[in-house]
C-alpha cells in the first residue's frame, strides 16, 4: 500500500496528533492496562483527509483489537477534534525493525523492481515460510530459482488451492532476487494485472510500450495465471511474452490454482511449455506443518499461546493457511480483550464462531456433502432432504458423521447445513455410524477413505 502520509497536510496532521494524544487520555480508563499499552499506545495517527482519519496499528493483531473498539475511539477522537470523522485502521508497524522483517541476513536491495511490478508484501520472504511435506518441492524449486534465475528450472510452475502459499513463494523469489542479484529486473504481476495492462495498452494504442516493458524483465513472476483462461487475445499476448523471455534465458515462474493440463486443455503449446520446466504442486499442510505455522505466527505477534491451544486451532482448520492465520489473530485479539487465558476448549468455541463468520462453514460442510454424495452415488439434495430410502439414510448419516469428525462444527451448525435438522438428529446419526463402523468392515474402509480425501483437500 502507498504511504498514508500526505506531505501537503502537515498542519492537519499536527492537529490530529495532538487530538490523538488527548483521545488516548480519554480512552485509557476504559481499556484494560496491558491491552492499552500494547495496542493503543503503539498506534499512530497517519493521515487526515476530510472526515477520514487513518490510524496505523502496530500489528495485524493490534488492528483487530483497535477495530473492536472503533466506536469508542471514534467518539474520543470526535470529542477532541470537535467534529465528525470516519475512522480507518491499517497495519503500519513503527519504524524500529521487527525481527522477522527485513529477514535476517538480507543484504540491501541490489536488483531492480520493474515499473510494471505489483508492490511486494515485505512479510512474504523465505525466512517466514514454513516447509513441510506438502510444500517441500515447491519451496525447493523456488529457492533454487531465486539463487540461479534462468539457470535452475525454467519455467517453474506452482499450483495448488487457495491460501496455500503460492503468492508468498513467488514474492519470496522476488525479495531474494532483489537482495542478491545486482541489476536483475524483477516483475511480480498477477494474471489479472497482466490482462489489465494488455487491455489498456490496446485501448490506448500503446502496444509497443507494453511490449518494451514486458520484454525488459529478467525474472517474471506471474501469479494466478488461471485468470487468463477464456481470454484468447490476452493469452496470445502472454504466449508471445513468455516466449520472448524464455528464449533469451530469462526466468519465468508461474502460479495457478490448477495443473497445467487442467488450465486449458486445448492450449497444447502452452501446456507443453509449462511442463518443460519444473511443475510443483502445493497440497494443504499436514497437522505438524499447520502447528509450526501457527507457532511461528504467534511468535511474530509477540504472543505466547500454549501449544495445546495452537494444536486445537490446527486441528480445526485444515485446508487453508490464510484461514489458519485469520483464526489465530481472532484468538489472540479475543484473549487480550477478555484478559483471559485461552484454553483449548475456549479456542474451539472462538474458532467455530470465526469460521461461521467467514462463511467457511458452508464451504467445509459443503465439501463434505459433495464428496460423500459422490462416493455414494446420490445427490447433495438427497443428503439434506428426509427421504427414508435405506441407502440414502446411510449416506446421509455418513456425511453428518464426517462433518462432525472433520470440521468439528457444533452439532447445531451441522444440522442447519443438512436441511435444518436439530442437533439431536446429528448426534444420533454420529452414534449410529460409530456403531456401524464396528460391525461393517467395508463401510469402515469407505468412510476412512473419504476422511483421508477430505483431510488432505482431495475433493
Ligand atoms: P495463495 O497465493 O496460494 O492463495 P498465499 O501465498 O496468499 O496463498 O498464502 C496465504 C497466507 O498464508 C499468507 O499470509 C502466507 O504468508 C501464509 N502462508 C501460506 N503458506 C505458508 C507457509 N508454509 N508458511 C508460512 N506462512 C504461509
Ligand atoms: Mg495468491
Amino acid at each position: 500500500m502507498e504511504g498514508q502520509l500526505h506531505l501537503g497536510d502537515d498542519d492537519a496532521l499536527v492537529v490530529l496528533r495532538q487530538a490523538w494524544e488527548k483521545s488516548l487520555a480519554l480512552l485509557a480508563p476504559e481499556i484494560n492496562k496491558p491491552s492499552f499499552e500494547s495496542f493503543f499506545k503503539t498506534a499512530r495517527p497517519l493521515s487526515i483527509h476530510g472526515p477520514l482519519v487513518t490510524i496505523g496499528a502496530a500489528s495485524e493483531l493490534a488492528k483487530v483489537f483497535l477495530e473492536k473498539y472503533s466506536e469508542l475511539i471514534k467518539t474520543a477522537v470526535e470529542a477532541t477534534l470537535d467534529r465528525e470523522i470516519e475512522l480507518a485502521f491499517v497495519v503500519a508497524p513503527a519504524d524500529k525493525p521487527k525481527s522477522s522483517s527485513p529477514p535476517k541476513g538480507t543484504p540491501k536491495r541490489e536488483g531492480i523492481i520493474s515499473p510494471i511490478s505489483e508492490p511486494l508484501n515485505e512479510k512474504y520472504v523465505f525466512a517466514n515460510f514454513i516447509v513441510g511435506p506438502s510444500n517441500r518441492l515447491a519451496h525447493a524449486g523456488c529457492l533454487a530459482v531465486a539463487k540461479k534465475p534462468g539457470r535452475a528450472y525454467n519455467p517453474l510452475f506452482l499450483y495448488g488451492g487457495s491460501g496455500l502459499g503460492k503468492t508468498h513463494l513467488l514474492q519470496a523469489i522476488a525479495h531474494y532476487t532483489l537482495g542478491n542479484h545486482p541489476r536483475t529486473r524483477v516483475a511480480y504481476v498477477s494474471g489479472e494485472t497482466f490482462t489489465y495492462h494488455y487491455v489498456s495498452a490496446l485501448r490506448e494504442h500503446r502496444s509497443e510500450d507494453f511490449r518494451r516493458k514486458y520484454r525488459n524483465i529478467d525474472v517474471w513472476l506471474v501469479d494466478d495465471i488461471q485468470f487468463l483462461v477464456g481470454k484468447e487475445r490476452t493469452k496470445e499476448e502472454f504466449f508471445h511474452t513468455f516466449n520472448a523471455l524464455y528464449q533469451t534465458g530469462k526466468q519465468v515462474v508461474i502460479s495457478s490454482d490448477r495443473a497445467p493440463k487442467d488450465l486449458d486443455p486445448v492450449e497444447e503449446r502452452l501446456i507443453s511449455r509449462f511442463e518443460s520446466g519444473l511443475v510443483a504442486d502445493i497440497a494443504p499442510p499436514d497437522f505438524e506443518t499447520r502447528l509450526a505455522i501457527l507457532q511461528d505466527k504467534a511468535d511474530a505477534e509477540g504472543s505466547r499461546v500454549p501449544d495445546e491451544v495452537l494444536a486445537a486451532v490446527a486441528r480445526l482448520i485444515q485446508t487453508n493457511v490464510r484461514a489458519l492465520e485469520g483464526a489465530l489473530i481472532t484468538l489472540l485479539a479475543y484473549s487480550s480483550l477478555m484478559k483471559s487465558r485461552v484454553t483449548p476448549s475456549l479456542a474451539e468455541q472462538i474458532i467455530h464462531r470465526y469460521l461461521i463468520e467467514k462463511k467457511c462453514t458452508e464451504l467445509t460442510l459443503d465439501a463434505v456433502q459433495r464428496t460423500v454424495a459422490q462416493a455414494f452415488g446420490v445427490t447433495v439434495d438427497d443428503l439434506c432432504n428426509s427421504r427414508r430410502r435405506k441407502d440414502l439414510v446411510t449416506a446421509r448419516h455418513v456425511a453428518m458423521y464426517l462433518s462432525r469428525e472433520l470440521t468439528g462444527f457444533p452439532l447445531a451448525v451441522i444440522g442447519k447445513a443438512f436441511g435444518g435438522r436439530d442437533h439431536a438428529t446429528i448426534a444420533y446419526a454420529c452414534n449410529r455410524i460409530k456403531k456401524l463402523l464396528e460391525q461393517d468392515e467395508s463401510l469402515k474402509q469407505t468412510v476412512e477413505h473419504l476422511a483421508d480425501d477430505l483431510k488432505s483437500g482431495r475433493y
Side-chain angles (χ1 to χ4, degrees):
M1 194 195 293
E2 287 291 326
Q4 299 285 316
L5 203 93
H6 290 246
L7 289 178
D9 301 328
D10 272 1
D11 294 344
L13 192 59
V14 171
V15 173
L16 176 63
R17 285 199 185 125
Q18 288 165 353
W20 179 248
E21 289 304 320
K22 287 187 200 153
S23 305
L24 285 183
L26 289 175
L27 291 165
E30 313 259 358
I31 317 286
N32 75 53
K33 192 140 185 277
S35 305
F36 187 77
E37 294 289 323
S38 355
F39 304 133
F40 283 72
K41 284 190 113 175
T42 53
R44 303 174 292 149
L46 292 179
S47 68
I48 175 163
H49 295 296
L52 183 65
V53 170
T54 305
I55 304 291
S59 66
E60 196 70 45
L61 172 60
K63 175 168 172 269
V64 173
F65 192 90
L66 292 170
E67 277 168 350
K68 295 231 180 218
Y69 276 105
S70 69
E71 272 310 305
L72 200 63
I73 300 173
K74 183 165 176 275
T75 316
V77 178
E78 284 180 341
T80 47
L81 278 177
D82 197 22
R83 64 180 170 102
E84 286 190 11
I85 58 151
E86 300 288 329
L87 265 187
F89 297 98
V90 297
V91 179
D95 297 333
K96 64 172 183 330
K98 270 181 62 177
S99 61
S100 59
S101 74
K104 297 170 219 93
T106 301
K108 66 179 187 337
R109 286 209 159 161
E110 300 192 323
I112 303 160
I113 295 195
S114 152
I116 56 173
S117 177
E118 289 173 43
L120 303 174
N121 183 329
E122 292 299 323
K123 288 188 185 155
Y124 291 175
V125 292
F126 284 117
N128 291 344
F129 192 83
I130 305 289
V131 184
S134 59
N135 57 31
R136 181 159 287 130
L137 179 64
H139 172 264
C142 288
L143 198 57
V145 157
K147 288 186 170 161
K148 291 185 176 172
R151 288 183 295 139
Y153 307 106
N154 206 10
L156 170 62
F157 191 101
L158 302 184
Y159 72 95
S162 170
L164 297 183
K166 300 183 295 296
T167 298
H168 189 138
L169 282 173
L170 252 56
Q171 295 203 3
I173 297 176
H175 287 299
Y176 190 99
T177 310
L178 289 169
N180 293 283
H181 300 291
R183 288 184 298 284
T184 302
R185 277 178 200 274
V186 182
Y188 165 87
V189 182
S190 64
E192 188 173 3
T193 301
F194 180 81
T195 307
Y196 172 77
H197 284 164
Y198 177 61
V199 173
S200 336
L202 278 186
R203 198 180 45 231
E204 292 157 17
H205 310 288
R206 287 188 295 100
S207 297
E208 272 312 304
D209 181 47
F210 172 91
R211 294 212 172 103
R212 197 169 36 76
K213 287 188 176 136
Y214 268 93
R215 305 286 191 275
N216 191 18
I217 302 173
D218 300 306
V219 176
W220 192 27
L221 309 161
V222 194
D223 207 357
D224 290 323
I225 197 165
Q226 73 275 1
F227 192 83
L228 264 52
V229 168
K231 302 187 174 65
E232 296 310 317
R233 287 187 70 183
T234 311
K235 221 161 54 186
E236 187 69 27
E237 188 61 31
F238 172 85
F239 188 64
H240 292 311
T241 311
F242 177 93
N243 280 339
L245 293 176
Y246 178 74
Q247 280 157 9
T248 49
K250 312 297 189 188
Q251 178 70 50
V252 184
V253 184
I254 297 159
S255 90
S256 163
D257 67 353
R258 56 200 98 155
K261 66 176 172 23
D262 299 326
L263 211 48
D264 191 343
V266 288
E267 277 290 350
E268 289 291 344
R269 52 181 191 167
L270 267 185
I271 299 172
S272 62
R273 275 285 192 285
F274 291 160
E275 288 181 341
S276 68
L278 175 68
V279 178
D281 77 319
I282 309 185
D286 59 13
F287 176 77
E288 286 75 14
T289 311
R290 297 200 298 277
L291 188 58
I293 291 174
L294 286 170
Q295 281 162 338
D296 198 57
K297 307 272 178 209
D299 280 354
E301 289 288 347
S303 179
R304 292 208 45 77
V305 184
D307 272 354
E308 71 258 30
V309 170
L310 295 180
V313 179
R315 260 194 301 278
L316 282 175
I317 300 187
Q318 301 175 343
T319 51
N320 186 323
V321 180
R322 195 176 290 122
L324 206 58
E325 287 181 340
L328 177 69
I329 295 291
T330 307
L331 200 67
L332 297 179
Y334 188 93
S335 75
S336 356
L337 210 64
M338 294 302 166
K339 265 176 62 186
S340 63
R341 225 174 59 78
V342 180
T343 60
S345 81
L346 179 59
E348 278 174 21
Q349 285 174 30
I350 298 170
I351 302 304
H352 283 318
R353 233 174 296 146
Y354 167 82
L355 289 170
I356 292 165
E357 241 170 58
K358 292 282 165 209
K359 298 240 168 11
C360 293
T361 321
E362 282 102 337
L363 245 182
T364 313
L365 294 176
D366 190 56
V368 176
Q369 290 176 340
R370 271 186 284 120
T371 310
V372 173
Q374 200 185 11
F376 280 80
V378 303
T379 66
V380 169
D381 191 48
D382 287 330
L383 299 179
C384 299
N385 66 31
S386 32
R387 283 167 56 204
R388 307 288 316 158
R389 224 172 64 206
K390 189 160 176 276
D391 59 333
L392 292 187
V393 174
T394 303
R396 194 180 294 142
H397 285 176
V398 166
M400 291 170 176
Y401 168 80
L402 285 173
S403 298
R404 175 61 180 160
E405 289 295 307
L406 299 180
T407 69
F409 288 120
L411 296 176
V413 174
I414 298 175
K416 218 169 132 212
F418 281 86
R421 291 172 155 89
D422 62 17
H423 75 279
T425 312
I426 309 299
Y428 166 75
C430 295
N431 288 338
R432 180 171 171 272
I433 294 298
K434 259 185 217 152
K435 290 218 179 79
L436 268 181
L437 292 180
E438 286 165 14
Q439 304 154 4
D440 186 339
E441 187 55 36
S442 102
L443 182 69
K444 187 168 167 219
Q445 281 187 7
T446 308
V447 170
E448 274 172 4
H449 269 131
L450 283 168
D452 283 344
D453 282 354
L454 285 164
K455 275 193 281 193
S456 57
R458 287 193 297 269
Y459 50 82

